Amino acid sequence: MNAATPAPTREESAQDRWDRIPVIKTGDDYLASLRNRGTRLFLFGELIDEPADHPIIKPSINALRASYDLAIEDPELATAWSPLIEQQVNRFLHIVESPSDLVKKNKMQRRMGQITGTCFQRCTGLDTISVLHSVTYEIDEKHGTQYHQRYLEFLKEAQRKNILIAAGMTDPKGDRSKRPAEQADPDMFMRVTRRTDKGIYVKGVKAHMTGGWNQHWICVLPTMNLTEGDKDYAVVGMIPGDAEGITYIYGRQSCDTRALEGGDIDQGNAQYGGQEVLVYFDDVFIPNEHVFMDGEYEFAQELVTRFTAYHRASYVCKTGLGDVMVGAAASIVEYNGLEKVSHIRDKLVEMTHLNETIYSSGIASSHEAKKMPSGIYMNDTMLANVCKHNVTRFPYEISRLAQDLAGGIMVTMPSEQDLDNEEAGDIIRRFLKGRDDIPTEDRMRILRLIENMTLGRNAVGYLTESMHGAGSPQAQRIQILRGMEVEKKKWHARKLAGIKQEA
Amino acid sequence: MNAATPAPTREESAQDRWDRIPVIKTGDDYLASLRNRGTRLFLFGELIDEPADHPIIKPSINALRASYDLAIEDPELATAWSPLIEQQVNRFLHIVESPSDLVKKNKMQRRMGQITGTCFQRCTGLDTISVLHSVTYEIDEKHGTQYHQRYLEFLKEAQRKNILIAAGMTDPKGDRSKRPAEQADPDMFMRVTRRTDKGIYVKGVKAHMTGGWNQHWICVLPTMNLTEGDKDYAVVGMIPGDAEGITYIYGRQSCDTRALEGGDIDQGNAQYGGQEVLVYFDDVFIPNEHVFMDGEYEFAQELVTRFTAYHRASYVCKTGLGDVMVGAAASIVEYNGLEKVSHIRDKLVEMTHLNETIYSSGIASSHEAKKMPSGIYMNDTMLANVCKHNVTRFPYEISRLAQDLAGGIMVTMPSEQDLDNEEAGDIIRRFLKGRDDIPTEDRMRILRLIENMTLGRNAVGYLTESMHGAGSPQAQRIQILRGMEVEKKKWHARKLAGIKQEA
Amino acid sequence: MNAATPAPTREESAQDRWDRIPVIKTGDDYLASLRNRGTRLFLFGELIDEPADHPIIKPSINALRASYDLAIEDPELATAWSPLIEQQVNRFLHIVESPSDLVKKNKMQRRMGQITGTCFQRCTGLDTISVLHSVTYEIDEKHGTQYHQRYLEFLKEAQRKNILIAAGMTDPKGDRSKRPAEQADPDMFMRVTRRTDKGIYVKGVKAHMTGGWNQHWICVLPTMNLTEGDKDYAVVGMIPGDAEGITYIYGRQSCDTRALEGGDIDQGNAQYGGQEVLVYFDDVFIPNEHVFMDGEYEFAQELVTRFTAYHRASYVCKTGLGDVMVGAAASIVEYNGLEKVSHIRDKLVEMTHLNETIYSSGIASSHEAKKMPSGIYMNDTMLANVCKHNVTRFPYEISRLAQDLAGGIMVTMPSEQDLDNEEAGDIIRRFLKGRDDIPTEDRMRILRLIENMTLGRNAVGYLTESMHGAGSPQAQRIQILRGMEVEKKKWHARKLAGIKQEA
Amino acid sequence: MNAATPAPTREESAQDRWDRIPVIKTGDDYLASLRNRGTRLFLFGELIDEPADHPIIKPSINALRASYDLAIEDPELATAWSPLIEQQVNRFLHIVESPSDLVKKNKMQRRMGQITGTCFQRCTGLDTISVLHSVTYEIDEKHGTQYHQRYLEFLKEAQRKNILIAAGMTDPKGDRSKRPAEQADPDMFMRVTRRTDKGIYVKGVKAHMTGGWNQHWICVLPTMNLTEGDKDYAVVGMIPGDAEGITYIYGRQSCDTRALEGGDIDQGNAQYGGQEVLVYFDDVFIPNEHVFMDGEYEFAQELVTRFTAYHRASYVCKTGLGDVMVGAAASIVEYNGLEKVSHIRDKLVEMTHLNETIYSSGIASSHEAKKMPSGIYMNDTMLANVCKHNVTRFPYEISRLAQDLAGGIMVTMPSEQDLDNEEAGDIIRRFLKGRDDIPTEDRMRILRLIENMTLGRNAVGYLTESMHGAGSPQAQRIQILRGMEVEKKKWHARKLAGIKQEA
């Protein structure tokens, strides 16, 4: 089935789509739910038969799976009571009912980062359902549409089945000086190509979709503000990951093929990894029940601003990865017998200080959340941008310090296969030993973990995604400029300087 | 009275001491309460007759006065309901009953910073009453003493009369390799020299006491952990600022004498300033009712740790000064007609980003507060240290950027007297003009304000005090080291690296 | 004579002007040469009778004086052989004959910084004569004028008499969106108002002129590129500091009036200081012999670019001040008995590292000097800009670290007069002692020196002037952008990436 | 031959060893010289038959090869006149006869960095022959030995044959609290195990040897200061890379196996790479003619200090890689049509500024070189350490900025094989296009180059090696502490503060 070119997609009903997805309780259920979906996924130039079992893909699935496991192990942290279905639900599917919910979300994110050491890909889904709550409500208020009710129905089912939602936001954008409707190629931004009684058809590409294949639903959303001429581009809808017409192309990551080598040392973090995919939607059908915006272009900007407010504070997850970095650096230092050395301790302190500074802006942003007309809470925009902006800086410095503490051996060390070779292995074990009571292999494992997070597969999540996820640094600076209340600050300064002005 | 050497101090009763202090409602009441106290204060080598009216001292009094005015103008922010006396009280005298109280405290501190552009000197008092609540409670628990009740009685009267409390913490320390009781000069740390039925006598010096003269009571506290041999140094007590036996020596500040020149431009911020004094206690009596620790040396360390937890988060006040810096920089940029220039806007954004990062750690520390056995809340220690540690860095960078935006004219500009001279004034007005519609004088005022906060009188508060107040940077690093939970972080790292360890 | 409004200035001959200036050999000669010049100088709203003896002005004169003394004490460093007059001359008047001359200039500047701890004000003069060598030569080449010969004659006499030259470059600029000739006030940029057979008359203001009153000659120069319409603004000429028609207004500095208090502790650096003046030229005559440009507007930009190339590398002088900062910080640390503490040593290392990084870019810029058509050498523009750009950053961080090491006592310490008071002095001496064998007064002196350089009078030179002197940071960034050879760099990148391109 | 365990090595004569190596003129000659050497090299657990042709090793050979090609293309830069053999020789084999030679070396290093974008592995050899010149001379002076003459004979032959020398310096060190002779395993530091009439036998391991397999000779050197008990560890000798008893184990690098995938896009820089190997010497013979130290332990520290002085300034090579980073970032910006955007240009300026700051300290260190007793020049130690210390910081920030400019697509982009697949390739080409006239493939190539240098194979050289090569940051800080002349600086500070001291 995988190899063929897609036929025109069926107008599959909302119910049929839900029926394909089982109720998921455990991590094992989740893994089973990904198999046999018949999706078209390219990886290294080939369509992959069963992506769920591919060694390169598996670690990214494991990371999401940990979100199911955590809900069982620590329900207070990772679940919440849903008044919608009157059940305890995974917190990643919970509506934000208070600032405290946002703080708990942050703590869960940090914990997930500690557990996986990578991007666990579930925040975009949570932030999507958060932003849609208020935006659908406000569209309905203005236009008399029914989006909010549709959204609530979808969400109830999502909570009942305990599924995953990926956000498809970033369009390729083409010529950046032109609006969506002005592009030479009309598909450069996702658009509605056709409307029937039952639903709509969308066409376009969503780039760097985090965990895009690993989730049950994809929510497509506009990527920026739109004008009247862009009406067909103003579309929000939920699409099952195995809908007809979707093609996935897998994004490659530094050192990705180490997962194919066998062994588990050189991967650094053999169990967990991130996933980014390029997703092509070739006239994919969305039934009306799953359409949450169609044409209300004037809400696109607000939708994006609110999404980034939620999502930029979600980058507090990187403090969980930062905890792993501190732990890895402290471990290698201990393995080298140097944990008492003053300048070394000082570097661990600096790493911690930077990490906790990030954490602070996340928590503060959540604490300062305000209630929206729809009843949901949204965290403070300024502080969310400050949080993310620190994330574009401090993980790089933390990473630099970790490399400092690791020593050059991190990048000159022989391979795991050499360790397994009898002759080479003997030399390595004998001479690459640190403290006497620590096996050489453990020392190598920690070094490979630091390599993994600063140069390798999870450096993608810890560094580059920290830079660009939820908007590049300049995007935050623009929001900070907008929110800085400069007139009020000028007023205070002039008052103190003794300049006459109105009160 | 001022000129004579002090006679042996009377064993004045607690009641007599309170009787000297009126009920204070307004800023004017406060100012009146400082007059005619007969204190001994040296400034520039002379005993000052009425410090409350001295032009150098006045701005520091104004800053505290603003805390009274704010309580009237914005009671929601600056007052709170006290269950102790069942009245609304100034928030600076309020017991922390919840994390929310701490957040409100932070917001009041930022606002006070915006209003005064300087150190308003009232935080040490609030943080002192906060820490004494839990510490006196715990001493009583262990030793069966009555400190907590004494403390509550004091606090009720303090709330009723709405008075100010200065904290006297820093001893001169002498030879830093020796403990208090080992010093060649036994007075290098404050100690109890005598005990009678009615109370105790203390002797010693408290250095850089913030707003030390401006407040009605001084609470003396130990400055560091103590051992059994240091018992006489383990003393906490409340002393009225006009008690017999106290000598104040005024700390000088950059550009302090500009206040003596007449005019109000060159001072930069003519209305508000900070105050630091060196205070000598020469066998000063404290009645038993006002003694809150006497000999329980083992609580000294915890007292200091908790005090710094409260107080390091109080440095969020500097974000109010940061707001003034941003406002001043934005004003000079506007006066020069350059507010649209890209790199200039970018610098304002950077200043704001750094300022809000500090704010975040304050708010987050407050949000994460925990309840103490005595019923009071204490903010998170790690995040309080992170907050203060950022304060030792970012104001310097904000200040550097403000100087960048101000231009060199900030330090080459002629004096206010030259502006007042007809001939020189004409040249200055004609040639130092920026944008056509802005009076040269206004431009000069803003430049002098930036000078004031980056080089002048209030640079003391905005920079050097940001560095050293509530402990120098290294003190925070030690706390961060202690609180970083490195074992837990190592565990996560080793788990991900595939190293066998106990669960 | 000082009080009257200036009459129309005489057309004084070049010879008469030189005749007023004696041959200067020693620092004493120099000081004598400044007296009785009958200049009009405003300071604090008054015309000063004899500026050379004013306590606020004296330290700035001392700094220049040190350049005479150094030439006697260390002639190898501070003098050079002039082929123009076949004599050894002060290096500050020497033509750059090789890269090695530039390196020696840098070393002399660092040494002068170490000796004075302030801006010694003589670099603008040296950089002016350097840039005029090549520019006058090239104007003559194009226009057949005689400027280069005039310049050489002037320089010979300058070398013979061993005089000082101040550069008057910065015009007030008024409305920054308009060119000089378009300004509402035609005098917003200095211009030629009249031409006679004997010379020209100039009118305008030069702002923040470093050491403007302390020098024998002022060279006025255009401040930016000019167009044909700005011809009257394209003027370069030498004017004696006591020429008729000049009015000086003294720039005030942080803590300037401490020099009036008596005593020498609280000044921090009682001997040396900088000077910035605003100078008004009211139709001041320049005889033709001293006119080096008049109307050749197309050379203005090159003149400015070359001047900044020389002058931005001159900021290597700040490494001399940096040495003093390191020395002061190391002293206070030693006085506190803490010189072995790891984090403290580390901060001294960081200060040194930053300081030597600045030094490196100065030396490298000099080493990479190229020969100009006129025979003079000019240092590398890119590296000169890099040098100055580091100067806009690192002194601020060095200063921050020095404040860290100094401790809060730097800004809470009582005044010198309190130390002189018997009672207050006893308390201070007893309790503000550091290490037992160090007098309290010495500790206070070092603390005042750090205050002087980070908040006080010489912070003007060490910080704000480091930011804005020779152009603000953005000016360097523009030059770095221009000189970065981005096409060459793209070529290398594309070659490595395997992209086809022309060789 | 490769598979067998080594027999006891022959006492091969110096002449026989030289005879195996041809005269090398071109890059092709060099490549030929590496083949058929019969070395034992482990890579991924296997002995490699012909390393010179292995796709992972080849790029590292190409980088060294470029040093031969450059000597032909630009002899003025990359060759020098050798008075030893009265011929023009490759500058990498030239004795430093002047500061100018050191500056030219720096310029050649930067150029090599631009050409290869990686570590070209030839600096350790040059710095080794530089340091041995003075050290052998001084040992002979003291001990009457003949090392210097032996060294000169070796060097002459090296110049004649135009060969490569790798430095083997870093011993595994084992328990860092113990000296070499005290280690449980006597081979933890390289040592002399046997001495015969003809020469010596050495045993031990040299870790992270840069380009260790790619060069004709390995010079083993002590890694730190030694005491009398460590005499057997005080050994310096030249060993041919194919000597009996040597086993190489190849160090793996991030993304190394991309070289095995076919294609040349995903490698980022398909042509050039670095090499680090672990080398085990199992009783390897060195004939007396090639022994340059044997037992003179007291010279070990000086040897290391001088080596690091030369070698830390050699890190100026990273400015060549920095040029490639700037070029790559400027290219991607141009491909996106964003080269005029203000904040983007500003980031390119910042990258350049940092890069040139590094360059400055290298050039300055060379310029300030001093002559040694042996007649060779050594660059300034302080500035060399400053140079390297900046290299441990700025490339990380340059890399961060490059990732900022690259955009997230750098880490989410599909593989080259997907581009080659017809269906996936069409989607990629259509949607990952930037500016209309730029092929998608070119855009991907530049992005892969940035990935290569910030996360991939050459990030090893650009980042981690910048951190640890020639000593980790703390090593430089120790040298800066030693060389900072703090007493002189204190003297200046105290003089200015008015403290009495000796002149």
Side-chain angles (χ1 to χ4, degrees), chain D residues 153-166:
Chain D
E153 290 308 318
F154 179 89
L155 185 60
K156 282 188 223 169
E157 195 64 16
Q159 290 182 342
R160 274 184 216 112
K161 294 214 155 167
N162 193 12
I163 51 79
L164 302 179
I165 302 162

Side-chain angles (χ1 to χ4, degrees), chain C residues 109-300:
Chain C
Q109 289 168 320
R110 183 169 188 168
R111 181 76 167 279
M112 283 292 293
Q114 292 171 337
I115 291 170
T116 64
T118 190
C119 170
F120 43 86
Q121 315 147 49
R122 203 169 171 176
C123 301
T124 54
L126 171 51
D127 296 330
T128 296
I129 62 174
S130 298
V131 70
L132 289 179
H133 192 281
S134 67
V135 168
T136 55
Y137 182 90
E138 291 171 36
I139 299 178
D140 289 357
E141 287 281 292
K142 179 171 175 197
H143 291 284
T145 42
Q146 303 299 320
Y147 297 131
H148 192 61
Q149 195 51 45
R150 287 179 185 175
Y151 157 84
L152 289 174
E153 290 307 318
F154 180 89
L155 185 60
K156 281 188 224 169
E157 194 65 16
Q159 289 182 341
R160 273 183 217 113
K161 294 213 155 168
N162 194 14
I163 52 79
L164 303 179
I165 302 162
M169 200 158 205
T170 313
D171 296 287
K173 296 197 188 82
D175 183 334
R176 275 119 220 263
S177 67
K178 292 183 178 154
R179 307 209 51 79
E182 298 166 0
Q183 299 283 330
D185 182 336
D187 301 334
M188 267 298 164
F189 288 75
M190 176 164 286
R191 65 184 174 117
V192 178
T193 50
R194 201 151 45 105
R195 290 179 183 83
T196 71
D197 284 0
K198 293 189 179 153
I200 62 175
Y201 288 80
V202 295
K203 189 163 189 171
V205 152
K206 292 295 183 178
H208 28 86
M209 200 191 292
T210 302
W213 185 88
N214 293 342
Q215 316 210 29
H216 308 93
W217 291 88
I218 294 169
C219 184
V220 293
L221 305 143
T223 198
M224 62 180 210
N225 68 323
L226 299 171
T227 60
E228 194 166 0
D230 305 318
K231 266 190 161 177
D232 285 343
Y233 296 86
V235 57
V236 175
M238 286 285 177
I239 306 171
D242 58 0
E244 281 179 84
I246 299 180
T247 304
Y248 299 88
I249 311 179
Y250 212 81
R252 87 169 301 182
Q253 300 183 315
S254 174
C255 301
D256 44 12
T257 55
R258 289 198 189 175
L260 305 175
E261 293 176 6
D264 70 343
I265 299 178
D266 281 5
Q267 292 180 69
N269 177 348
Q271 221 181 333
Y272 300 109
Q275 178 187 81
E276 302 287 338
V277 286
L278 184 74
V279 188
Y280 178 44
F281 300 80
D282 189 9
D283 275 325
V284 173
F285 177 72
I286 311 177
N288 286 328
E289 292 89 333
H290 293 166
V291 175
F292 303 147
M293 178 193 284
D294 180 13
E296 295 82 5
Y297 66 89
E298 74 273 29
F299 285 90

Side-chain angles (χ1 to χ4, degrees), chain B residues 63-75:
Chain B
L64 271 161
R65 180 187 167 134
S67 73
Y68 286 99
D69 295 339
L70 185 64
I72 293 168
E73 285 161 26
D74 190 348

Side-chain angles (χ1 to χ4, degrees), chain D residues 173-184 189 224:
Chain D
K173 296 198 187 80
D175 183 335
R176 276 120 219 263
S177 68
K178 292 183 177 155
R179 306 211 51 79
E182 299 165 359
Q183 299 283 331
F189 288 75
M224 62 180 210

Side-chain angles (χ1 to χ4, degrees), chain A residues 40 45 185 187-188 208 252 261 266 392 396 400 403-404 412-413 418 421 423 430 455 464 468, chain D residues 40 45 185 187-188 208 252 261 266 392 396 400 403-404 412-413 418 421 423 430 455 464 468:
Chain A
R40 291 171 48 78
D185 182 337
D187 301 334
M188 266 301 163
H208 27 86
R252 87 170 302 183
E261 292 177 7
D266 281 5
T392 69
Y396 285 85
R400 192 184 76 86
Q403 289 198 0
D404 183 349
T412 69
M413 202 164 44
D418 289 320
N421 174 287
E423 184 186 346
R430 180 173 169 202
L455 296 176
T464 324
H468 290 289
Chain D
R40 291 171 48 81
D185 182 338
D187 300 335
M188 267 299 162
H208 28 85
R252 89 170 299 184
E261 293 177 6
D266 281 5
T392 69
Y396 286 84
R400 193 184 75 87
Q403 289 199 0
D404 183 350
T412 69
M413 202 165 44
D418 289 320
N421 174 287
E423 184 188 344
R430 181 173 167 201
L455 295 177
T464 324
H468 290 289

